[in-house]
Amino acid sequence: MCDAPETGHLLHVPARRRALFTALGVGAGIGVLGLPSPALAAVTGWSNPTRGTLTSGYKSPSRPGHLGWDVANSQGTPIYATADGTVRDVKTNSYPGDTTSGPLAGRTGNSVHINHADSYFSYYGHLHRVLVSAGQRVSCGQLIGLMGNTGNSTGPHLHFEIHRPRLTSLDPRVFLANRGITLGSTAPVGSTGYPSVSQGASGWVPRVIQYLVRARGISVVVDGIYGAGTTSAVRSFQSSRGLYADGMVGPITWTALVLPLREGNSGDLVRGLQTALNARGASLLVDGGFGSVTTSAVRAFQSRNGLVADGLVGPVTWSVLI
């Protein structure tokens, strides 16, 4: 496996979290358009491009022209470069139902096409958002986009292909398996950020979600069990914000749910914060009051994680906390 690079220069932020902030528009690296691609060294490592459930397979009997694997997860799930390379082409400004082709034949919506060494290239389709530019050098495990539902798609997923021109397309699941990687399951190099949470989960993270959803005026039982009621409540929230209403809380839904907090705030958002702090080692009364004791717990958490210890809970602190 290869090591993930550090991207950008985000002060006070641990390197393991920087990829997430790129997705949120902080310190995103943009390549120079039109410059010759740097020479590529031999491929020394590969990474799983994302996590999720495998759905449509490579050249399946029902879809013999399907030259990749589809990996489904919630909208906004991070997508990473599967190896070092140079971005050859991108497509942006696509939308659900878009019938135009991307860099490769097929209605795969927003997409990224990366050239690797040894004549390999990889392709990533149906993205919600593209975070790289044509001509940009990328490293194995670098964040390149967010999973989406653009193009000919019935739900958020990644369409992933690997090619070697003289051998045409390759089965990416087999290709990665031969390198010790299980497509969709093995943690991508450099992976970080908010978890994707869906029905069947239990524990403190679903409890935080329930508090955050309830804080937005949607009725839900706060019991730490992500059942049908929580799924329905999350769908209602997503619909109210114009998000893909799949009932799963992924990176985009998380960033819509959390709000900045500081001493003096009160209510269910603070209860969600206190629940998360307790899961990270604090011993707070979950009373919904952001007082001096909660401020001290926030500062202690920030200090332990290399953040600015100001007691203010903004997007950076929320993302590291969850």
Side-chain angles (χ1 to χ4, degrees), residues 109-200:
N110 294 329
S111 48
V112 176
H113 177 183
I114 300 177
N115 282 343
H116 307 291
D118 304 327
S119 299
Y120 289 103
F121 71 82
S122 56
Y123 186 74
Y124 315 76
H126 302 299
L127 302 181
H128 173 72
R129 183 179 173 195
V130 171
L131 298 173
V132 290
S133 298
Q136 181 177 342
R137 255 321 248 131
V138 295
S139 299
C140 174
Q142 182 172 332
L143 184 70
I144 60 171
L146 304 178
M147 186 180 293
N149 187 39
T150 57
N152 182 27
S153 173
T154 57
H157 71 282
L158 169 70
H159 172 81
F160 178 60
E161 299 183 20
I162 291 181
H163 293 249
R164 192 171 185 183
R166 290 187 180 84
L167 301 175
T168 66
S169 65
L170 304 171
D171 183 333
R173 185 182 187 185
V174 173
F175 180 87
L176 292 179
N178 289 337
R179 288 152 181 82
I181 299 166
T182 302
L183 180 62
S185 298
T186 302
V189 171
S191 60
T192 186
Y194 288 109
S196 292
V197 189
S198 60
Q199 189 165 332

Side-chain angles (χ1 to χ4, degrees), residues 172-239:
R173 185 182 187 185
V174 173
F175 180 87
L176 292 179
N178 289 337
R179 288 152 181 82
I181 299 166
T182 302
L183 180 62
S185 298
T186 302
V189 171
S191 60
T192 186
Y194 288 109
S196 292
V197 189
S198 60
Q199 189 165 332
S202 62
W204 70 269
V205 175
R207 185 178 293 273
V208 170
I209 290 170
Q210 290 163 342
Y211 276 128
L212 298 182
V213 169
R214 198 168 75 176
R216 299 310 185 89
I218 299 171
S219 178
V220 63
V221 175
V222 179
D223 59 3
I225 299 172
Y226 204 123
T230 299
T231 300
S232 178
V234 169
R235 285 194 181 117
S236 295
F237 172 77
Q238 291 169 324
S239 295

Side-chain angles (χ1 to χ4, degrees), residues 238-250:
Q238 291 169 324
S239 295
S240 72
R241 298 299 299 268
L243 305 177
Y244 185 80
D246 57 3
M248 299 174 64
V249 179

